[in-house]
Amino acid sequence: MNKTVKNAEEALSGISDGATLMIGGFGLCGLPEKMLEAIQNISAKNLTIISNNAGTDNYGIGLLIKKGRVKKMIMSYGGECKAFEEAALKGLIEVEWTPQGTLAERIRAAGAGIGGFFTPTGYGTIVAGEKETRNIDGKNYVFEKPLFADFALIKAWKGDTLGNLIYRKTARNFNQAMASAAKTVIAEVETLVLPGELEPDAIHTPGTYIDKIFQGGIYAKPIEKLTVRESEAVLNSHNGGMSPREIIAKAAAKLLRDGDYVNLGIGIPTLIPNFLPQDVHIVLHTENGMLGYGPYPIKGTEDPDIINAGKETVTELKGCSYFGSHDSFAMVRGGHIDASVLGAMEVSEKGDIANWMIPGKKVKGMGGAMDMVAGAKKVIVAMEHVSKEGTPKILKNCKLPLTGKGVVSAIVTELAFFEITSKGLILKAHHPETNVSKIRDLTEASFEIAPKLDVSFFQ
C-alpha cells in the first residue's frame, strides 16, 4: 500500500506519445511544479492537455507548447501565454474551448462515473456548437460529456504514503477534481508523512484515488500577479478628478445590496469594493475556490496560495472558506451568487454579451465568464462606453462570439447607467458632465429614457 516514488522523473515514467494529461493548478497557483519541470525532459509528444490555463511563456505548459510537444489543449483560458496564442491563431495547436465551470464539472463527472450532464452554460454561443440542447422546465441547457485522462498530474500541500491528500487554500482549485479522473493519478506534495499523521477529518482526497505520490522538496510557488496594498489608497487621478474606470466602479457599487454574494470579474470590477457605502457589506466569491476574500495584502505579507480569479494576491476576511473549482461553480449554477459584475467588449440591447474572443486576433478564452452570466441572479456589465478606437460597445446586435445570450441585467459606463428589460434598454441615469444627445451619438443600440432620471447615481 506504500504509493511513494522517489521523485518526479520516476513518477512520470510511462507517459508516451499521444497521451492525455490533466494538469492541476489555476494560473501558477497549485501547479505541480516538480512534474512540470521534469516533463520538459521526457520525449513524449503529440500530447493532449486538459488544464484550466496554458501556463506562461517561460513556465509549465507554455514551454511544452514552445517545443511543439502539445497537439491539443482542452481549456478555458489562455491567460498571458503568447506562445499558446500564436500557436492557436496559426492552427499549430488544436483548442477545445470549455467554460471553466463546465471544465471542472466534466472532470468531476468523469471521476464520479457520470455519463454526461446538461448545463445552462454556453447555450446560444459557439461553445454549444453541434451539442445536444434541451429545454427543461422552461430553461435551455447544453449537454456536456465527461473528461477522462491517461494521467493526472496534481499538487497538494500534505499527503501520506497511502495517498491521502490535504490541499492549501486556493491551491485546491482543479487539483481535487482531477485526482479522481485519470487512469494514473500522480500527486506531488510539500510534506509527506506516514499513515495516521494526517487528521482524518481534514483529508480532502482519500488515497483510493492516488496511484503515485512523492515529496517535492522546496517549492518556488511563483506568483503570477503580485498585488499589494498601498500604504495609502489613491482613488483620484493626477488631475484631482476620478478616472473613467473609477467613475464606473463607484457607480456600479450602487447596484449591490447589503448581504449580497458577489463575483467580480477582472479589470474595472475589482475596484468596486473601494466604493461600497459603509452600510453595505458584501461577500466576494472567486471561481478558483474562495468565498470571503479581502483587499490586497500589505507588501511582504502576500501568500501565493491565496489568489483571486485574476491571479492577484488577496487576503482572508473573517468567515472565509475554501473549496475546489467544481464546488465553486456549483454555487454559481445553483443560483447561490446574487450578482456578477464583469467587463465586456460588446453588449446588445437584448442583453447579449461578448467578452472573450476576437476571431483571428485574440483568443484569450472565456474563463469563468460563461458560467457566471448563466448562473448569477443578476449580471452587471461595468465597461467604458466606447472602444479604444472610439466605436460604440453598446450595440443592436453583438458582432463578436457571444459569452451569453440575453443574460445582462444592467450596463454601467462612465457616461450612463442602463437597465435591460424585456422591452430593451432604458437609460436610468447619466453622468452630470454629459447629456442624452451625446449618449445617443456614442450608442448604436436604441434606448428609452426613464420617466425620472436618477441625478444622484454618478455622484
Side-chain angles (χ1 to χ4, degrees), residues 297-343:
I298 296 172
K299 188 174 182 179
T301 66
E302 60 272 5
D303 186 328
D305 288 335
I306 307 179
I307 64 168
N308 63 16
K311 289 86 173 178
E312 300 171 323
T313 45
V314 291
T315 53
E316 298 175 333
L317 295 179
K318 290 182 179 179
C320 77
S321 58
Y322 296 99
F323 32 86
S325 293
H326 55 295
D327 281 331
S328 182
F329 284 99
M331 295 177 187
V332 177
R333 287 189 304 272
H336 307 292
I337 302 301
D338 296 296
S340 173
V341 189
L342 70 168

mmCIF file of all heavy atoms in Angstrom, residues 297-343:
data_model
loop_
_atom_site.group_PDB
_atom_site.id
_atom_site.type_symbol
_atom_site.label_atom_id
_atom_site.label_comp_id
_atom_site.label_asym_id
_atom_site.label_seq_id
_atom_site.Cartn_x
_atom_site.Cartn_y
_atom_site.Cartn_z
ATOM 1 N N PRO A 297 -2.947 42.246 -0.013
ATOM 2 C CA PRO A 297 -2.160 42.204 1.222
ATOM 3 C C PRO A 297 -1.163 43.353 1.307
ATOM 4 O O PRO A 297 -0.776 43.933 0.283
ATOM 5 C CB PRO A 297 -1.430 40.865 1.109
ATOM 6 C CG PRO A 297 -1.295 40.641 -0.364
ATOM 7 C CD PRO A 297 -2.552 41.200 -0.968
ATOM 8 N N ILE A 298 -0.764 43.674 2.514
ATOM 9 C CA ILE A 298 0.314 44.637 2.705
ATOM 10 C C ILE A 298 1.609 43.997 2.220
ATOM 11 O O ILE A 298 1.840 42.799 2.417
ATOM 12 C CB ILE A 298 0.416 45.033 4.193
ATOM 13 C CG1 ILE A 298 -0.867 45.765 4.627
ATOM 14 C CG2 ILE A 298 1.646 45.895 4.454
ATOM 15 C CD1 ILE A 298 -0.952 46.036 6.103
ATOM 16 N N LYS A 299 2.425 44.758 1.565
ATOM 17 C CA LYS A 299 3.662 44.242 0.975
ATOM 18 C C LYS A 299 4.456 43.444 2.002
ATOM 19 O O LYS A 299 4.679 43.877 3.132
ATOM 20 C CB LYS A 299 4.511 45.393 0.434
ATOM 21 C CG LYS A 299 5.721 44.929 -0.362
ATOM 22 C CD LYS A 299 6.447 46.104 -0.987
ATOM 23 C CE LYS A 299 7.626 45.616 -1.823
ATOM 24 N NZ LYS A 299 8.345 46.739 -2.477
ATOM 25 N N GLY A 300 4.863 42.248 1.617
ATOM 26 C CA GLY A 300 5.628 41.380 2.496
ATOM 27 C C GLY A 300 4.792 40.341 3.198
ATOM 28 O O GLY A 300 5.335 39.399 3.790
ATOM 29 N N THR A 301 3.456 40.474 3.151
ATOM 30 C CA THR A 301 2.582 39.501 3.802
ATOM 31 C C THR A 301 1.813 38.651 2.785
ATOM 32 O O THR A 301 0.960 37.865 3.159
ATOM 33 C CB THR A 301 1.567 40.212 4.726
ATOM 34 O OG1 THR A 301 0.671 41.003 3.926
ATOM 35 C CG2 THR A 301 2.274 41.102 5.731
ATOM 36 N N GLU A 302 2.127 38.804 1.489
ATOM 37 C CA GLU A 302 1.385 38.070 0.465
ATOM 38 C C GLU A 302 1.584 36.563 0.610
ATOM 39 O O GLU A 302 2.625 36.092 1.054
ATOM 40 C CB GLU A 302 1.819 38.520 -0.930
ATOM 41 C CG GLU A 302 3.281 38.315 -1.252
ATOM 42 C CD GLU A 302 4.170 39.470 -0.834
ATOM 43 O OE1 GLU A 302 3.682 40.422 -0.192
ATOM 44 O OE2 GLU A 302 5.391 39.415 -1.147
ATOM 45 N N ASP A 303 0.546 35.813 0.242
ATOM 46 C CA ASP A 303 0.555 34.358 0.322
ATOM 47 C C ASP A 303 0.265 33.815 -1.073
ATOM 48 O O ASP A 303 -0.801 34.068 -1.630
ATOM 49 C CB ASP A 303 -0.526 33.878 1.306
ATOM 50 C CG ASP A 303 -0.487 32.384 1.571
ATOM 51 O OD1 ASP A 303 -0.119 31.626 0.651
ATOM 52 O OD2 ASP A 303 -0.851 31.963 2.683
ATOM 53 N N PRO A 304 1.187 33.067 -1.686
ATOM 54 C CA PRO A 304 0.974 32.571 -3.047
ATOM 55 C C PRO A 304 -0.190 31.607 -3.186
ATOM 56 O O PRO A 304 -0.651 31.341 -4.300
ATOM 57 C CB PRO A 304 2.301 31.886 -3.393
ATOM 58 C CG PRO A 304 2.920 31.547 -2.082
ATOM 59 C CD PRO A 304 2.501 32.642 -1.154
ATOM 60 N N ASP A 305 -0.691 31.092 -2.064
ATOM 61 C CA ASP A 305 -1.824 30.173 -2.101
ATOM 62 C C ASP A 305 -3.159 30.876 -1.873
ATOM 63 O O ASP A 305 -4.194 30.219 -1.750
ATOM 64 C CB ASP A 305 -1.659 29.072 -1.046
ATOM 65 C CG ASP A 305 -0.566 28.080 -1.418
ATOM 66 O OD1 ASP A 305 -0.280 27.941 -2.620
ATOM 67 O OD2 ASP A 305 -0.001 27.449 -0.506
ATOM 68 N N ILE A 306 -3.147 32.212 -1.829
ATOM 69 C CA ILE A 306 -4.401 32.962 -1.696
ATOM 70 C C ILE A 306 -4.468 33.962 -2.838
ATOM 71 O O ILE A 306 -3.886 35.049 -2.782
ATOM 72 C CB ILE A 306 -4.494 33.698 -0.340
ATOM 73 C CG1 ILE A 306 -4.245 32.745 0.831
ATOM 74 C CG2 ILE A 306 -5.873 34.343 -0.191
ATOM 75 C CD1 ILE A 306 -4.296 33.410 2.194
ATOM 76 N N ILE A 307 -5.162 33.577 -3.906
ATOM 77 C CA ILE A 307 -5.301 34.449 -5.069
ATOM 78 C C ILE A 307 -6.765 34.502 -5.498
ATOM 79 O O ILE A 307 -7.565 33.636 -5.136
ATOM 80 C CB ILE A 307 -4.429 33.981 -6.251
ATOM 81 C CG1 ILE A 307 -4.892 32.610 -6.752
ATOM 82 C CG2 ILE A 307 -2.963 33.964 -5.872
ATOM 83 C CD1 ILE A 307 -4.301 32.209 -8.078
ATOM 84 N N ASN A 308 -7.103 35.528 -6.273
ATOM 85 C CA ASN A 308 -8.452 35.604 -6.824
ATOM 86 C C ASN A 308 -8.439 35.101 -8.268
ATOM 87 O O ASN A 308 -7.418 34.630 -8.768
ATOM 88 C CB ASN A 308 -9.002 37.030 -6.716
ATOM 89 C CG ASN A 308 -8.195 38.045 -7.517
ATOM 90 O OD1 ASN A 308 -7.404 37.698 -8.392
ATOM 91 N ND2 ASN A 308 -8.388 39.317 -7.225
ATOM 92 N N ALA A 309 -9.567 35.214 -8.955
ATOM 93 C CA ALA A 309 -9.668 34.673 -10.312
ATOM 94 C C ALA A 309 -8.784 35.410 -11.303
ATOM 95 O O ALA A 309 -8.473 34.886 -12.373
ATOM 96 C CB ALA A 309 -11.116 34.707 -10.779
ATOM 97 N N GLY A 310 -8.353 36.630 -10.964
ATOM 98 C CA GLY A 310 -7.428 37.372 -11.811
ATOM 99 C C GLY A 310 -5.987 37.037 -11.530
ATOM 100 O O GLY A 310 -5.079 37.684 -12.043
ATOM 101 N N LYS A 311 -5.748 36.004 -10.679
ATOM 102 C CA LYS A 311 -4.414 35.557 -10.260
ATOM 103 C C LYS A 311 -3.710 36.595 -9.398
ATOM 104 O O LYS A 311 -2.487 36.587 -9.254
ATOM 105 C CB LYS A 311 -3.520 35.178 -11.441
ATOM 106 C CG LYS A 311 -3.930 33.886 -12.128
ATOM 107 C CD LYS A 311 -4.966 34.145 -13.162
ATOM 108 C CE LYS A 311 -5.257 32.877 -13.964
ATOM 109 N NZ LYS A 311 -6.324 33.123 -14.960
ATOM 110 N N GLU A 312 -4.472 37.517 -8.808
ATOM 111 C CA GLU A 312 -3.903 38.536 -7.930
ATOM 112 C C GLU A 312 -3.876 38.027 -6.493
ATOM 113 O O GLU A 312 -4.767 37.300 -6.061
ATOM 114 C CB GLU A 312 -4.754 39.804 -7.980
ATOM 115 C CG GLU A 312 -4.860 40.436 -9.348
ATOM 116 C CD GLU A 312 -5.880 41.566 -9.384
ATOM 117 O OE1 GLU A 312 -6.920 41.448 -8.703
ATOM 118 O OE2 GLU A 312 -5.628 42.561 -10.074
ATOM 119 N N THR A 313 -2.856 38.436 -5.748
ATOM 120 C CA THR A 313 -2.806 38.082 -4.337
ATOM 121 C C THR A 313 -3.856 38.889 -3.571
ATOM 122 O O THR A 313 -3.990 40.100 -3.770
ATOM 123 C CB THR A 313 -1.407 38.364 -3.755
ATOM 124 O OG1 THR A 313 -0.958 39.661 -4.201
ATOM 125 C CG2 THR A 313 -0.409 37.316 -4.198
ATOM 126 N N VAL A 314 -4.609 38.194 -2.720
ATOM 127 C CA VAL A 314 -5.637 38.831 -1.897
ATOM 128 C C VAL A 314 -5.482 38.344 -0.464
ATOM 129 O O VAL A 314 -4.543 37.613 -0.139
ATOM 130 C CB VAL A 314 -7.062 38.520 -2.425
ATOM 131 C CG1 VAL A 314 -7.296 39.214 -3.760
ATOM 132 C CG2 VAL A 314 -7.301 37.022 -2.557
ATOM 133 N N THR A 315 -6.397 38.742 0.401
ATOM 134 C CA THR A 315 -6.324 38.364 1.809
ATOM 135 C C THR A 315 -7.610 37.675 2.249
ATOM 136 O O THR A 315 -8.634 37.720 1.561
ATOM 137 C CB THR A 315 -6.096 39.601 2.701
ATOM 138 O OG1 THR A 315 -7.103 40.581 2.405
ATOM 139 C CG2 THR A 315 -4.726 40.204 2.459
ATOM 140 N N GLU A 316 -7.540 37.045 3.417
ATOM 141 C CA GLU A 316 -8.705 36.406 4.014
ATOM 142 C C GLU A 316 -9.465 37.398 4.886
ATOM 143 O O GLU A 316 -8.858 38.223 5.571
ATOM 144 C CB GLU A 316 -8.282 35.241 4.901
ATOM 145 C CG GLU A 316 -7.556 34.122 4.191
ATOM 146 C CD GLU A 316 -7.061 33.064 5.169
ATOM 147 O OE1 GLU A 316 -6.822 33.416 6.358
ATOM 148 O OE2 GLU A 316 -6.919 31.905 4.771
ATOM 149 N N LEU A 317 -10.783 37.307 4.866
ATOM 150 C CA LEU A 317 -11.612 38.002 5.833
ATOM 151 C C LEU A 317 -12.161 36.976 6.824
ATOM 152 O O LEU A 317 -12.231 35.778 6.514
ATOM 153 C CB LEU A 317 -12.774 38.723 5.137
ATOM 154 C CG LEU A 317 -12.399 39.875 4.198
ATOM 155 C CD1 LEU A 317 -13.656 40.469 3.582
ATOM 156 C CD2 LEU A 317 -11.607 40.949 4.938
ATOM 157 N N LYS A 318 -12.559 37.425 7.985
ATOM 158 C CA LYS A 318 -13.145 36.508 8.966
ATOM 159 C C LYS A 318 -14.373 35.830 8.359
ATOM 160 O O LYS A 318 -15.215 36.488 7.753
ATOM 161 C CB LYS A 318 -13.540 37.264 10.236
ATOM 162 C CG LYS A 318 -12.358 37.746 11.061
ATOM 163 C CD LYS A 318 -12.819 38.449 12.327
ATOM 164 C CE LYS A 318 -11.633 38.903 13.171
ATOM 165 N NZ LYS A 318 -12.079 39.617 14.403
ATOM 166 N N GLY A 319 -14.434 34.525 8.509
ATOM 167 C CA GLY A 319 -15.569 33.784 7.972
ATOM 168 C C GLY A 319 -15.367 33.273 6.562
ATOM 169 O O GLY A 319 -16.288 32.693 5.980
ATOM 170 N N CYS A 320 -14.171 33.466 5.987
ATOM 171 C CA CYS A 320 -13.938 32.995 4.623
ATOM 172 C C CYS A 320 -13.868 31.471 4.595
ATOM 173 O O CYS A 320 -13.694 30.807 5.627
ATOM 174 C CB CYS A 320 -12.663 33.600 4.055
ATOM 175 S SG CYS A 320 -11.135 32.859 4.661
ATOM 176 N N SER A 321 -14.008 30.901 3.396
ATOM 177 C CA SER A 321 -13.932 29.451 3.241
ATOM 178 C C SER A 321 -13.280 29.123 1.907
ATOM 179 O O SER A 321 -13.242 29.948 0.995
ATOM 180 C CB SER A 321 -15.327 28.830 3.316
ATOM 181 O OG SER A 321 -16.188 29.371 2.322
ATOM 182 N N TYR A 322 -12.778 27.880 1.805
ATOM 183 C CA TYR A 322 -12.111 27.412 0.598
ATOM 184 C C TYR A 322 -12.762 26.131 0.102
ATOM 185 O O TYR A 322 -13.329 25.358 0.887
ATOM 186 C CB TYR A 322 -10.627 27.151 0.867
ATOM 187 C CG TYR A 322 -9.843 28.380 1.243
ATOM 188 C CD1 TYR A 322 -9.551 28.668 2.574
ATOM 189 C CD2 TYR A 322 -9.391 29.266 0.271
ATOM 190 C CE1 TYR A 322 -8.833 29.804 2.922
ATOM 191 C CE2 TYR A 322 -8.678 30.402 0.604
ATOM 192 C CZ TYR A 322 -8.397 30.669 1.933
ATOM 193 O OH TYR A 322 -7.692 31.789 2.274
ATOM 194 N N PHE A 323 -12.656 25.874 -1.199
ATOM 195 C CA PHE A 323 -13.277 24.702 -1.808
ATOM 196 C C PHE A 323 -12.664 24.512 -3.188
ATOM 197 O O PHE A 323 -11.896 25.355 -3.665
ATOM 198 C CB PHE A 323 -14.797 24.894 -1.921
ATOM 199 C CG PHE A 323 -15.208 26.328 -2.141
ATOM 200 C CD1 PHE A 323 -15.257 26.869 -3.413
ATOM 201 C CD2 PHE A 323 -15.497 27.161 -1.059
ATOM 202 C CE1 PHE A 323 -15.603 28.197 -3.611
ATOM 203 C CE2 PHE A 323 -15.837 28.490 -1.246
ATOM 204 C CZ PHE A 323 -15.892 29.017 -2.529
ATOM 205 N N GLY A 324 -13.001 23.417 -3.851
ATOM 206 C CA GLY A 324 -12.489 23.154 -5.181
ATOM 207 C C GLY A 324 -13.239 23.933 -6.245
ATOM 208 O O GLY A 324 -14.349 24.433 -6.013
ATOM 209 N N SER A 325 -12.660 24.011 -7.444
ATOM 210 C CA SER A 325 -13.300 24.746 -8.532
ATOM 211 C C SER A 325 -14.656 24.151 -8.893
ATOM 212 O O SER A 325 -15.581 24.876 -9.280
ATOM 213 C CB SER A 325 -12.388 24.739 -9.767
ATOM 214 O OG SER A 325 -11.222 25.488 -9.536
ATOM 215 N N HIS A 326 -14.813 22.842 -8.791
ATOM 216 C CA HIS A 326 -16.092 22.212 -9.112
ATOM 217 C C HIS A 326 -17.183 22.673 -8.152
ATOM 218 O O HIS A 326 -18.322 22.913 -8.555
ATOM 219 C CB HIS A 326 -15.963 20.689 -9.109
ATOM 220 C CG HIS A 326 -15.412 20.114 -7.846
ATOM 221 N ND1 HIS A 326 -14.123 20.355 -7.420
ATOM 222 C CD2 HIS A 326 -15.975 19.314 -6.900
ATOM 223 C CE1 HIS A 326 -13.908 19.713 -6.278
ATOM 224 N NE2 HIS A 326 -15.013 19.088 -5.940
ATOM 225 N N ASP A 327 -16.845 22.830 -6.868
ATOM 226 C CA ASP A 327 -17.820 23.333 -5.899
ATOM 227 C C ASP A 327 -18.093 24.818 -6.121
ATOM 228 O O ASP A 327 -19.213 25.291 -5.929
ATOM 229 C CB ASP A 327 -17.315 23.114 -4.466
ATOM 230 C CG ASP A 327 -17.499 21.689 -3.992
ATOM 231 O OD1 ASP A 327 -18.454 21.033 -4.463
ATOM 232 O OD2 ASP A 327 -16.687 21.223 -3.177
ATOM 233 N N SER A 328 -17.062 25.554 -6.528
ATOM 234 C CA SER A 328 -17.231 26.985 -6.761
ATOM 235 C C SER A 328 -18.286 27.236 -7.830
ATOM 236 O O SER A 328 -19.157 28.102 -7.685
ATOM 237 C CB SER A 328 -15.897 27.593 -7.182
ATOM 238 O OG SER A 328 -16.014 28.980 -7.377
ATOM 239 N N PHE A 329 -18.220 26.464 -8.912
ATOM 240 C CA PHE A 329 -19.181 26.672 -9.988
ATOM 241 C C PHE A 329 -20.530 26.040 -9.707
ATOM 242 O O PHE A 329 -21.536 26.436 -10.304
ATOM 243 C CB PHE A 329 -18.587 26.202 -11.313
ATOM 244 C CG PHE A 329 -17.582 27.169 -11.848
ATOM 245 C CD1 PHE A 329 -16.224 26.958 -11.663
ATOM 246 C CD2 PHE A 329 -17.984 28.326 -12.504
ATOM 247 C CE1 PHE A 329 -15.289 27.870 -12.129
ATOM 248 C CE2 PHE A 329 -17.059 29.244 -12.972
ATOM 249 C CZ PHE A 329 -15.710 29.019 -12.785
ATOM 250 N N ALA A 330 -20.571 25.082 -8.818
ATOM 251 C CA ALA A 330 -21.871 24.571 -8.374
ATOM 252 C C ALA A 330 -22.627 25.679 -7.641
ATOM 253 O O ALA A 330 -23.859 25.784 -7.759
ATOM 254 C CB ALA A 330 -21.683 23.360 -7.467
ATOM 255 N N MET A 331 -21.912 26.509 -6.893
ATOM 256 C CA MET A 331 -22.533 27.666 -6.239
ATOM 257 C C MET A 331 -23.153 28.604 -7.282
ATOM 258 O O MET A 331 -24.248 29.126 -7.087
ATOM 259 C CB MET A 331 -21.490 28.448 -5.427
ATOM 260 C CG MET A 331 -20.905 27.726 -4.263
ATOM 261 S SD MET A 331 -19.625 28.746 -3.472
ATOM 262 C CE MET A 331 -18.982 27.575 -2.276
ATOM 263 N N VAL A 332 -22.417 28.787 -8.387
ATOM 264 C CA VAL A 332 -22.877 29.713 -9.428
ATOM 265 C C VAL A 332 -24.101 29.147 -10.140
ATOM 266 O O VAL A 332 -25.158 29.783 -10.210
ATOM 267 C CB VAL A 332 -21.744 29.981 -10.439
ATOM 268 C CG1 VAL A 332 -22.237 30.881 -11.557
ATOM 269 C CG2 VAL A 332 -20.541 30.609 -9.736
ATOM 270 N N ARG A 333 -23.969 27.933 -10.684
ATOM 271 C CA ARG A 333 -25.074 27.338 -11.434
ATOM 272 C C ARG A 333 -26.292 27.097 -10.566
ATOM 273 O O ARG A 333 -27.428 27.115 -11.033
ATOM 274 C CB ARG A 333 -24.634 26.016 -12.070
ATOM 275 C CG ARG A 333 -23.699 26.162 -13.246
ATOM 276 C CD ARG A 333 -23.510 24.826 -13.940
ATOM 277 N NE ARG A 333 -23.038 23.797 -13.018
ATOM 278 C CZ ARG A 333 -21.759 23.559 -12.753
ATOM 279 N NH1 ARG A 333 -20.826 24.264 -13.361
ATOM 280 N NH2 ARG A 333 -21.411 22.621 -11.895
ATOM 281 N N GLY A 334 -26.057 26.866 -9.277
ATOM 282 C CA GLY A 334 -27.156 26.593 -8.353
ATOM 283 C C GLY A 334 -27.895 27.830 -7.885
ATOM 284 O O GLY A 334 -28.829 27.729 -7.082
ATOM 285 N N GLY A 335 -27.486 29.008 -8.358
ATOM 286 C CA GLY A 335 -28.194 30.231 -8.008
ATOM 287 C C GLY A 335 -27.846 30.800 -6.650
ATOM 288 O O GLY A 335 -28.633 31.541 -6.052
ATOM 289 N N HIS A 336 -26.649 30.474 -6.159
ATOM 290 C CA HIS A 336 -26.257 30.932 -4.821
ATOM 291 C C HIS A 336 -25.397 32.196 -4.848
ATOM 292 O O HIS A 336 -24.938 32.652 -3.800
ATOM 293 C CB HIS A 336 -25.497 29.814 -4.104
ATOM 294 C CG HIS A 336 -26.242 28.517 -4.080
ATOM 295 N ND1 HIS A 336 -27.397 28.334 -3.351
ATOM 296 C CD2 HIS A 336 -26.023 27.353 -4.742
ATOM 297 C CE1 HIS A 336 -27.840 27.102 -3.541
ATOM 298 N NE2 HIS A 336 -27.021 26.475 -4.382
ATOM 299 N N ILE A 337 -25.161 32.758 -6.042
ATOM 300 C CA ILE A 337 -24.419 34.014 -6.194
ATOM 301 C C ILE A 337 -25.403 35.085 -6.645
ATOM 302 O O ILE A 337 -26.077 34.943 -7.666
ATOM 303 C CB ILE A 337 -23.268 33.868 -7.210
ATOM 304 C CG1 ILE A 337 -22.311 32.739 -6.763
ATOM 305 C CG2 ILE A 337 -22.520 35.177 -7.364
ATOM 306 C CD1 ILE A 337 -21.682 32.949 -5.400
ATOM 307 N N ASP A 338 -25.497 36.155 -5.869
ATOM 308 C CA ASP A 338 -26.508 37.190 -6.130
ATOM 309 C C ASP A 338 -26.192 38.049 -7.335
ATOM 310 O O ASP A 338 -27.098 38.438 -8.079
ATOM 311 C CB ASP A 338 -26.657 38.084 -4.888
ATOM 312 C CG ASP A 338 -27.172 37.306 -3.691
ATOM 313 O OD1 ASP A 338 -28.312 36.816 -3.761
ATOM 314 O OD2 ASP A 338 -26.424 37.169 -2.700
ATOM 315 N N ALA A 339 -24.928 38.369 -7.520
ATOM 316 C CA ALA A 339 -24.580 39.274 -8.614
ATOM 317 C C ALA A 339 -23.202 38.948 -9.169
ATOM 318 O O ALA A 339 -22.297 38.560 -8.431
ATOM 319 C CB ALA A 339 -24.610 40.727 -8.147
ATOM 320 N N SER A 340 -23.084 39.105 -10.475
ATOM 321 C CA SER A 340 -21.794 39.007 -11.145
ATOM 322 C C SER A 340 -21.553 40.323 -11.870
ATOM 323 O O SER A 340 -22.419 40.803 -12.606
ATOM 324 C CB SER A 340 -21.794 37.851 -12.152
ATOM 325 O OG SER A 340 -20.607 37.855 -12.918
ATOM 326 N N VAL A 341 -20.388 40.922 -11.630
ATOM 327 C CA VAL A 341 -20.023 42.172 -12.299
ATOM 328 C C VAL A 341 -18.801 41.881 -13.168
ATOM 329 O O VAL A 341 -17.781 41.408 -12.666
ATOM 330 C CB VAL A 341 -19.703 43.295 -11.303
ATOM 331 C CG1 VAL A 341 -19.548 44.622 -12.038
ATOM 332 C CG2 VAL A 341 -20.779 43.400 -10.234
ATOM 333 N N LEU A 342 -18.903 42.147 -14.453
ATOM 334 C CA LEU A 342 -17.795 41.838 -15.342
ATOM 335 C C LEU A 342 -17.715 42.843 -16.477
ATOM 336 O O LEU A 342 -18.653 43.604 -16.723
ATOM 337 C CB LEU A 342 -17.923 40.418 -15.895
ATOM 338 C CG LEU A 342 -19.031 40.088 -16.893
ATOM 339 C CD1 LEU A 342 -18.784 38.714 -17.518
ATOM 340 C CD2 LEU A 342 -20.405 40.073 -16.232
ATOM 341 N N GLY A 343 -16.574 42.869 -17.139
ATOM 342 C CA GLY A 343 -16.377 43.754 -18.269
ATOM 343 C C GLY A 343 -16.868 43.113 -19.552
ATOM 344 O O GLY A 343 -17.266 41.948 -19.577
#
